[in-house]
Amino acid sequence: MRLRVRLGYALLIAAGFCAANPTPAQQANRDVARRAAIHPISTAADMRLWLSRVPVTRAFPPDFETMLRGQASLYVIEMSTAPGCLPCADLWSKLLALRARYGWQVRTIGAEEAMLRSGRLGLPWVGSPVAWVRAATDPNRMVPIAIGTDHGPNIARNAWLAARMLTGARTAVGVRAMSKFTGIVGVRAPASSNPKGR
């Protein structure tokens, strides 16, 4: 199960991101794919502009509301965050709305833990926020539901699909149905030249 999630998730980012010893042409293709998939932003206007291009999920399965409310105690949504990250604040506000509506637990984790998770999935770290649904009783069973901030309905749909995948739905079906990840992430804070600021 975890292997299939890993493979499906890797395909959503971009084919070839994790190739070992890429040729110059492969590296160029990876760089192009990364620029196309990841959108670092530093202003609220940029974030709104990128979000305006993201389609909003409008069709939901018949059991959508019932399942999200009925299984709230089984799952936790965790997201990475970083100081001064506008998309992190935006995603957090949408996760709080999901918590209020469906009763799911939501938590933040630091960028270091998020990088470790990405590494376990064999994925490149692209910055915060990244959100995962995980089984409440098993910290090692998780499905990514957002890379970058997204519209509330898309996040809810992805959470529903993640819960389905964690309870046995075929991963390939769930990955195909997920809203595409936006890649709207925060600009990394510059490294401090002052040793005390590190």
Side-chain angles (χ1 to χ4, degrees), residues 9 21 32 36 38 56-57 64 75 81 114 119 125 151 158 167 178:
Y9 184 45
N21 303 317
V32 168
I38 306 304
V56 179
T57 300
F64 180 78
Y75 305 104
T81 188
W125 176 242
H151 298 294
N158 286 355
T167 53
M178 271 195 177

Side-chain angles (χ1 to χ4, degrees), residues 24-135:
Q26 288 172 325
Q27 183 62 45
N29 287 341
R30 284 173 50 180
D31 292 343
V32 168
R34 186 181 182 96
R35 282 194 300 274
I38 306 304
H39 313 299
I41 62 96
S42 58
T43 69
D46 283 345
M47 183 172 62
R48 285 192 300 273
L49 179 62
W50 278 110
L51 275 171
S52 71
R53 301 170 180 171
V54 177
V56 179
T57 300
R58 303 207 185 278
F60 295 90
D63 68 340
F64 180 78
E65 300 259 345
T66 305
M67 182 180 172
L68 281 180
R69 286 197 180 95
Q71 298 193 352
S73 64
L74 303 178
Y75 305 104
V76 178
I77 300 176
E78 295 175 325
M79 66 164 274
S80 65
T81 188
C85 169
L86 291 173
C88 299
D90 188 68
L91 181 59
W92 180 248
S93 69
K94 290 166 180 171
L95 292 179
L96 290 179
L98 189 145
R99 179 179 71 181
R101 183 166 184 175
Y102 302 112
W104 283 46
Q105 298 178 64
V106 295
R107 299 179 184 152
T108 60
I109 60 172
E112 190 171 317
E113 169 64 18
M115 283 189 274
L116 290 172
R117 288 183 182 190
S118 291
R120 285 198 300 266
L121 290 172
L123 300 169
W125 176 242
V126 297
S128 296
V130 178
W132 295 264
V133 166
R134 73 164 176 85

Side-chain angles (χ1 to χ4, degrees), residues 136-150:
T137 58
D138 186 349
N140 296 315
R141 291 182 60 229
M142 65 186 76
V143 175
I145 62 166
I147 298 174
T149 192
D150 202 338

Side-chain angles (χ1 to χ4, degrees), residues 125-194:
W125 176 242
V126 297
S128 296
V130 178
W132 295 264
V133 166
R134 73 164 176 85
T137 58
D138 186 349
N140 296 315
R141 291 182 60 229
M142 65 186 76
V143 175
I145 62 166
I147 298 174
T149 192
D150 202 338
H151 298 294
N154 296 350
I155 296 163
R157 173 66 184 256
N158 286 355
W160 179 87
L161 284 163
R164 294 285 309 274
M165 285 189 272
L166 288 168
T167 53
R170 286 190 356 204
T171 303
V173 172
V175 168
R176 280 198 304 270
M178 271 195 177
S179 300
K180 291 182 180 176
F181 299 138
T182 69
I184 303 169
V185 298
V187 173
R188 289 184 183 147
S192 171
S193 58
N194 178 353

